[in-house]
Each structure stands twice: as structure tokens, then as C-alpha cells.
Amino acid sequence: GNSVTQMEGPVTLSEEAFLTINCTYTATGYPSLFWYVQYPGEGLQLLLKATKADDKGSNKGFEATYRKETTSFHLEKGSVQVSDSAVYFCALSDPGGSYIPTFGRGTSLIVHP
Amino acid sequence: DAGVIQSPRHEVTEMGQEVTLRCKPISGHDYLFWYRQTMMRGLELLIYFNNNVPIDDSGMPEDRFSAKMPNASFSTLKIQPSEPRDSAVYFCASSRTSGATNEKLFFGSGTQLSVL
């Protein structure tokens, strides 16, 4: 079946530090990959996505590249801000699974001034 | 667009009581999802509907949980009787089939349920 594995948090960084949150996946087909972000007290919202191998999704300074050879979709940002503090969810959508997203457990990011 | 609207935002109840959570999806969306979020289990898909029809309820934890979607603009998740282990944040999400995908989910702000 499909699954998504994320690094456990919390990830604690100082402002302007470099961020990497690891995500690997298992899928039976050729999935689309996503990062969702959940700010405190809110629901999840789509941050970025990539639909095929070697695609790079980007938004708000965050980037992730679809690596089929390593089945990974790591989230990166060159310089984090306090406002980036949130929970980040990696997800996949598999055509073989009616496109219903499968979510990872989420990784909490805490950015200190 | 107002987004996905959930009510109430917070619910505190006593064990054994019935709890009803409500959701209004985004107009024009044909998929509706109910999720539960806990520290222990993360984000769990409970059930989802397509065009108001329940498609997969395999994530519903037990018979105490039920969900309905009487029309395209309203859904409920009911817990009867409630138990302390049901305490969690419950999210509703909706999406629209676009071509071959319905990948982008729009989430509501959630209902924080506390069962004492």
C-alpha cells in the first residue's frame, strides 16, 4: 500500500537557519507529491506540489524536488523565519488509490528569534 | 469564497454524551473528507464522500461514529456515546475533481473535542 514517512520532530532552528525536513514515500503507481502546512489553530493548507519525477515544487521560499530514484520529496528553505513555525505534512496522491491523499505524521518546526 | 466552515470550533462534553460536528464544504466541491488528528496517531482519514455518497468509511474507529452528507453543502460527524479517547481535533476537508485528480484538499479550521 501507499505510505509516507517523515522525520520526527520537533525541529528547532534559529531564525535565518537552513531547513530540511525529510520525506520518503512508498507507492504502487506514479504518485503526485505534496507538502501541506498547518499553522497553529488552523487547518492544513497546500504549500507546494510536484506531479512527476524531477519536478520541483516551490512556494514562499520553500522548495522540494520529486526524486523517484530515492523515493523522496524533502522540504527545504534557505532562511527560515519565526512565522514559518508550524507543522509540515508530506503527502502523496496515487492514481491507483483514487487520488485520495495519504499523509505523513507531520513534523513540527519551531523557529526562535 | 468562505472556505470550508466547521462548527463548533471547540466542544467540551462529558463521557456518554452525543456529539455532533458540522461541516459546510466549499461550493462546487464534490469530495468531502473527515479527518481526526491526535498526537499519538497523527492525521487519520475517517471517511470520505463523493457527490454526497460515502465511498470509504474504513477509517471510522467503531460503531459509535457515524457520518452523513444529506446534501452537497452539509455534512455531520456524530459520536454516540462519546468517550475520553475520542478527544482530538476533527477536520473536515473538501476538494474538486479536476481532470484526473482531486489532489488539493481545502481544510476547515477544525473542531477541538474534549470528552471529560
Side-chain angles (χ1 to χ4, degrees):
Chain A
N2 299 329
S3 67
V4 176
T5 303
Q6 294 181 234
M7 60 187 291
E8 289 200 22
V11 173
T12 304
L13 296 172
S14 297
E15 206 165 23
E16 299 183 1
F18 185 86
L19 167 71
T20 300
I21 300 179
N22 291 337
C23 170
T24 57
Y25 68 89
T26 302
T28 53
Y30 299 93
S32 295
L33 301 174
F34 311 85
W35 279 99
Y36 280 77
V37 58
Q38 182 184 25
Y39 297 106
E42 299 182 10
L44 283 70
Q45 56 186 275
L46 182 65
L47 179 60
L48 54 85
K49 74 174 191 180
T51 57
K52 61 182 186 296
D54 299 324
D55 267 3
K56 177 184 285 187
S58 61
N59 186 24
K60 299 181 179 180
F62 290 89
E63 293 183 339
T65 301
Y66 190 144
R67 300 288 188 198
K68 187 170 171 57
E69 64 276 15
T70 55
T71 61
S72 65
F73 193 56
H74 304 323
L75 182 67
E76 297 181 336
K77 187 174 185 182
S79 176
V80 294
Q81 305 300 312
V82 172
S83 57
D84 293 327
S85 298
V87 181
Y88 292 83
F89 292 84
C90 187
L92 70 82
S93 172
D94 187 345
S98 301
Y99 300 100
I100 304 303
T102 298
F103 286 90
R105 290 288 306 271
T107 302
S108 175
L109 170 65
I110 301 169
V111 181
H112 294 292
Chain B
D1 199 324
V4 177
I5 299 173
Q6 291 187 245
S7 64
R9 285 299 306 270
H10 303 277
E11 176 80 33
V12 181
T13 190
E14 292 187 347
M15 183 174 62
Q17 296 298 305
E18 177 180 294
V19 175
T20 299
L21 312 181
R22 296 173 176 80
C23 175
K24 177 179 169 54
I26 293 173
S27 177
H29 283 192
D30 54 346
Y31 278 82
L32 184 139
F33 306 82
W34 282 102
Y35 287 89
R36 178 171 69 176
Q37 185 179 37
T38 61
M39 289 292 290
M40 289 294 293
R41 302 171 72 94
L43 194 65
E44 302 172 272
L45 176 63
L46 300 178
I47 184 172
Y48 75 92
F49 297 81
N50 178 219
N51 291 321
N52 314 336
V53 176
I55 303 300
D56 185 353
D57 65 355
S58 60
M60 297 285 260
E62 42 194 284
D63 292 346
R64 297 185 297 106
F65 287 69
S66 62
K68 295 182 179 180
M69 192 166 186
N71 57 63
S73 59
F74 184 66
S75 177
T76 60
L77 178 67
K78 185 175 294 186
I79 308 172
Q80 166 63 19
S82 58
E83 296 183 3
R85 60 193 168 116
D86 301 331
S87 298
V89 180
Y90 290 81
F91 287 104
C92 176
S94 69
S95 69
R96 179 179 61 204
T97 304
S98 174
T101 71
N102 61 355
E103 302 164 333
K104 182 178 179 180
L105 269 60
F106 293 79
F107 282 77
S109 297
T111 295
Q112 173 78 59
L113 174 65
S114 298
V115 183
L116 306 177

